[in-house]
């Protein structure tokens, strides 16, 4: 018997948070159970051939129950051809962001019984069209064209001829021929600077990424908008172009601290540069946040292990992956006309690296 689109897939789990409407994820279960997300997946999906202690299994199941993470058994009849969604990424192995996006896409796909098939092209001009053609021949219900770096793309010609919905993930095209989803980086830069402004800071520096990148330009634009909204004059001496690396955060922080009127707060455009910023501030005898407040971006694992823990923003890669699949499957026809770029919020993760000053 063929399964309808709303039926569960093999070993699939669904979640519907309790009371507040917030979606519960395996990450939430892992946090409560005190284990990895991989362990949660093995336990909740009853993965065969892996030995996990009864105590850990009981702890995971109890955490899932407490959070309202419902486990739904299901199976696919052997004669059925699985419903599929294809995702074509330029790069996967170079960064964890792609994996997070894929996980969000998988969650959304499994909710409708879809298998999610992933391919990596490395932007190879010969293999990319072959890969897309192979995906389309597989009888997919939708195709997600994705990039690891938020950027403008030249959409492959095959996508214009595809007879299935196409959505761009973490990229966009000049012609806006396809729905696309990207992080709201301008709003994120505004939110980061505004967190420092709200704590009373007016001498706020920013260490940007490489300015040829959309993310660096947009975060700087948001920073400038926040200053303008608060009637804080823009000071070019407080703007330093970095390169996303720890060394850039270190070197530019040392330079900022040598100014006649150094900043009381620094917005590092990613967490790696914030690590270098921390080291430079400590080397100059300044404490965080008592002397200088710091905020990062990306919510990398290191942010939780710095002392003090780093306030930062998280990129919505999981939500973007879910949005791309959900939007593609909601489309009743192949898209025509122009489509806006949907920007998803980069939430602020407050920790201990910002101090309120003044009155």
């Amino acid at each position: 018997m063929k399964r309808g689109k709303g039926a569960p897939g093999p070993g699939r789990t669904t979640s519907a948070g309790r009371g507040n409407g917030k979606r519960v994820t395996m990450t939430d279960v892992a946090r409560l159970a005190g284990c990895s997300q991989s362990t949660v997946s093995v336990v909740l999906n009853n993965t065969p051939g892996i030995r996990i202690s009864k105590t850990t299994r009981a702890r995971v199941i109890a955490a899932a129950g407490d959070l309202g993470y419902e486990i739904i058994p299901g199976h696919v009849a052997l004669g059925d051809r699985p419903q599929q969604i294809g995702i074509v990424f330029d790069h996967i192995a170079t960064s964890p962001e792609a994996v997070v996006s894929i996980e969000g896409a998988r969650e959304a796909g499994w909710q409708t019984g879809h298998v999610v098939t992933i391919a990596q092209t490395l932007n190879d001009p010969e293999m990319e069209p072959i890969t897309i053609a192979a995906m389309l021949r597989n009888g997919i219900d939708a195709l997600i064209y994705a990039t690891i770096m938020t950027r403008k793309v030249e959409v492959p010609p095959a996508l214009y001829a595809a007879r299935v919905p196409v959505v761009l993930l973490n990229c966009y095209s000049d012609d806006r021929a396809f729905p696309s989803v990207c992080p709201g980086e301008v709003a994120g830069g505004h939110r980061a600077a505004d967190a420092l402004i709200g704590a009373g800071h007016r001498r706020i520096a920013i260490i940007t990424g490489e300015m040829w990148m959309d993310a660096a330009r947009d975060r700087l634009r948001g920073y400038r908008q926040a200053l303008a909204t608060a009637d804080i004059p823009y000071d070019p001496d407080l703007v330093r172009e970095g390169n996303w690396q720890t060394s850039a955060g270190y070197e530019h922080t040392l330079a900022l601290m040598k100014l006649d009127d150094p900043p009381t707060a620094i917005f590092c455009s990613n967490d790696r540069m914030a690590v270098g910023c921390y080291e430079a501030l400590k080397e100059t005898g300044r404490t965080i946040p008592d002397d200088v407040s710091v905020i990062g971006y990306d919510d990398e694992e290191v942010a939780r292990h710095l002392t003090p823990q780093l306030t930062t923003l998280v990129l919505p890669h999981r939500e973007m992956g879910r949005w791309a699949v959900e939007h593609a499957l909601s489309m009743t026809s192949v898209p025509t006309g122009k489509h806006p770029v949907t920007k998803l919020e980069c939430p602020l993760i407050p920790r201990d690296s910002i101090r309120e000053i003044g009155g």
Side-chain angles (χ1 to χ4, degrees), residues 74-348:
H75 67 277
V76 178
L78 293 177
D80 286 347
R81 179 173 183 172
Q83 300 173 99
Q84 294 185 69
I85 298 164
I87 303 181
V88 177
F89 250 105
D90 56 352
H91 293 273
I92 296 175
T94 57
S95 176
E97 285 83 358
V99 177
V100 176
S101 294
I102 290 168
E103 180 62 10
R106 180 205 58 79
E107 290 174 351
W110 281 18
Q111 286 179 351
T112 53
H114 283 81
V115 173
V116 178
T117 304
I118 317 297
Q120 176 177 253
T121 67
L122 304 179
N123 294 127
D124 187 281
E126 294 184 7
M127 291 307 300
E128 184 174 81
I130 294 173
T131 301
I132 291 172
M135 284 274 191
L136 294 172
R137 282 198 300 270
N138 279 342
I140 56 176
D141 293 329
L143 191 144
I144 312 300
Y145 184 78
T147 58
I148 189 59
M149 182 193 308
T150 306
R151 61 185 176 91
K152 181 173 70 176
V153 295
E154 295 290 335
V155 177
L159 298 189
Y160 290 95
R163 296 182 179 180
V164 299
V166 174
V167 173
L168 307 185
L169 172 59
N170 204 34
C171 56
Y172 58 93
S173 61
D174 273 339
D175 61 11
R176 301 294 194 267
F178 302 97
S180 62
V181 60
C182 294
E185 299 279 27
V186 175
H190 192 293
R191 185 170 292 111
D194 197 52
L196 298 169
I197 293 168
H201 296 275
R202 294 184 65 83
R203 291 287 291 171
I204 301 170
I206 180 172
I207 303 174
T208 74
E210 296 163 293
M211 295 305 293
W212 60 266
M213 296 178 64
D214 284 12
R217 293 195 303 270
D218 286 349
R219 292 173 194 181
L220 176 61
R221 187 176 300 121
Y223 159 88
R224 296 192 65 165
Q225 288 179 1
L227 295 185
T229 300
D231 290 328
I232 298 175
Y234 174 76
D235 184 348
D237 286 341
L238 297 179
V239 178
R240 305 293 167 128
E241 182 176 347
N243 60 6
W244 309 111
Q245 302 303 312
T246 302
S247 58
Y250 175 82
E251 292 165 3
H252 286 302
T253 298
L254 288 180
L256 287 166
M257 291 300 106
K258 292 177 182 177
L259 294 174
D260 292 337
D261 187 10
T264 63
I266 301 175
F267 169 23
C268 297
S269 290
N270 74 338
D271 293 343
R272 292 182 187 179
M273 290 193 296
V275 172
C277 175
Y278 267 49
E279 290 302 313
L281 290 173
K282 291 175 182 178
E283 188 174 296
T284 59
R286 292 171 171 86
T287 60
I288 307 165
D290 292 340
D291 297 321
V292 181
S293 292
V294 180
I295 190 168
Y297 210 108
D298 292 347
D299 193 31
E300 291 192 29
E301 179 70 20
V302 68
R304 293 182 285 280
H305 297 287
L306 293 172
T307 303
Q309 290 189 337
L310 178 66
T311 295
T312 186
L313 285 86
V314 60
L315 286 164
H317 286 291
R318 183 185 298 271
E319 291 74 14
M320 288 162 53
R322 288 187 62 89
W323 186 97
V325 168
E326 290 171 351
H327 193 80
L329 295 180
S330 71
M331 295 162 64
T332 57
S333 62
V334 176
T336 58
K338 290 186 177 292
H339 300 267
V341 178
T342 296
K343 300 291 185 74
L344 297 191
E345 176 184 355
C346 300
L348 178 72

Side-chain angles (χ1 to χ4, degrees), residues 26-58:
M26 284 190 182
T27 301
D28 299 319
V29 177
R31 187 177 296 112
L32 182 59
C35 63
S36 69
Q37 182 178 324
S38 298
T39 298
V40 171
S41 178
V42 167
V43 172
L44 297 186
N45 289 302
N46 200 24
T47 305
I50 299 178
R51 299 179 64 182
I52 292 179
S53 71
K54 292 182 179 179
T55 301
T56 300
R57 285 185 181 272

